[in-house]
Amino acid sequence: MEDTEALLYSKMYDKFAVDFNNMQIIVGRVKDNWKGAHLKGSSSLHVVDRFSISLRVERRTVETSDPAWPSVVVAATLPRLQLHFNEEKVVTLKHMVARMLGPDYGGRVDAGTQTEAEGEEARAGPDETLALWSEWEPDSCTEVSAKLLVAHFTVSDLSVELQSQGRPVAELQVTCMKAGLTRRPYDTQLSLSVHSLLLEIGRASCRERV
């Protein structure tokens, strides 16, 4: 029976696997030695130390409303993730995200580009704009119990360090963190579990097991 279900599953889904290795996020000025920090994989310029992630995506190719067969399944695994934040890094990341998202989120945009975009939106008309958004909405005929998306994220070791004026303020360490997301036409469910949690603030520390 299990072999039959496994064979059916393999026929119903297209599978994709992607591995990202030696990734890192660095924030610094032009004069900073970011090349040396990049080679080290961990430094005062790092927001995220060097890490690797394995990503698996499965897309259902057969139409069905059975909740046992979600439309898309995403699974991500990170062995270790270390993050470092301070005032300067947070402000820099905020400006970067705002510029990427555009003026609606506080970013700047070239006046000519903005005028051209507004003109294209006006020519498209409300009906065409609505049609574009409707492509992202679930079909009204979709079975209410059908799962549109199921995602699983696992981080074996997570560390978040907060600094202020060059001094450590707090550090959060989490082991075996698992997060889940289930998206249906009518609701979204989130789940989170951790094996152990350690919070250090100055000299005081607090440990809690979940």
Side-chain angles (χ1 to χ4, degrees):
M1 185 64 179
E2 293 182 358
D3 294 339
T4 303
E5 291 182 356
L7 180 60
L8 179 61
Y9 191 91
S10 63
K11 296 293 184 181
M12 292 183 64
Y13 285 85
D14 285 337
K15 299 179 177 62
F16 308 89
V18 181
D19 291 331
F20 298 96
N21 297 315
N22 298 326
M23 299 182 63
Q24 48 192 310
I25 299 177
I26 299 174
V27 172
R29 301 182 180 90
V30 177
K31 64 180 181 179
D32 293 331
N33 185 17
W34 60 269
K35 291 184 178 179
H38 176 267
L39 294 176
K40 291 181 179 179
S42 176
S43 70
S44 59
L45 300 180
H46 276 75
V47 176
V48 183
D49 288 354
R50 183 181 296 162
F51 70 98
S52 299
I53 176 174
S54 297
L55 184 65
R56 189 181 77 250
V57 180
E58 299 178 354
R59 181 177 64 88
R60 179 162 47 80
T61 58
V62 179
E63 291 294 334
T64 178
S65 60
D66 190 337
W69 307 98
S71 298
V72 178
V73 179
V74 180
T77 303
L78 291 83
R80 185 177 181 85
L81 191 62
Q82 292 182 304
L83 297 89
H84 310 275
F85 294 102
N86 57 25
E87 300 92 338
E88 183 179 358
K89 292 178 182 178
V90 171
V91 171
T92 302
L93 291 175
K94 180 181 177 181
H95 289 329
M96 182 187 69
V97 173
R99 291 180 65 88
M100 293 175 60
L101 295 179
D104 292 339
Y105 296 87
R108 297 180 180 178
V109 64
D110 181 73
T113 304
Q114 183 177 8
T115 303
E116 182 180 353
E118 291 175 352
E120 292 179 355
E121 183 178 355
R123 289 193 297 271
D127 294 337
E128 295 183 14
T129 304
L130 182 61
L132 292 175
W133 281 106
S134 64
E135 293 179 0
W136 294 92
E137 294 297 327
D139 190 351
S140 58
C141 298
T142 304
E143 177 66 26
V144 294
S145 60
K147 296 177 181 178
L148 303 177
L149 171 66
V150 174
H152 303 281
F153 303 92
T154 301
V155 182
S156 299
D157 188 359
L158 172 65
S159 175
V160 181
E161 182 185 23
L162 300 180
Q163 296 181 350
S164 178
Q165 299 179 354
R167 297 182 179 181
V169 175
E171 183 175 358
L172 175 67
Q173 297 181 2
V174 181
T175 59
C176 298
M177 185 185 74
K178 297 181 180 179
L181 168 67
T182 301
R183 174 77 170 90
R184 295 185 178 90
Y186 60 92
D187 74 348
T188 300
Q189 295 181 354
L190 299 173
S191 63
L192 177 66
S193 65
V194 298
H195 179 266
S196 66
L197 183 149
L198 173 64
L199 176 63
E200 294 185 356
I201 302 177
R203 296 183 178 180
S205 65
C206 171
R207 178 182 292 270
E208 181 181 353
R209 289 194 175 272
V210 180

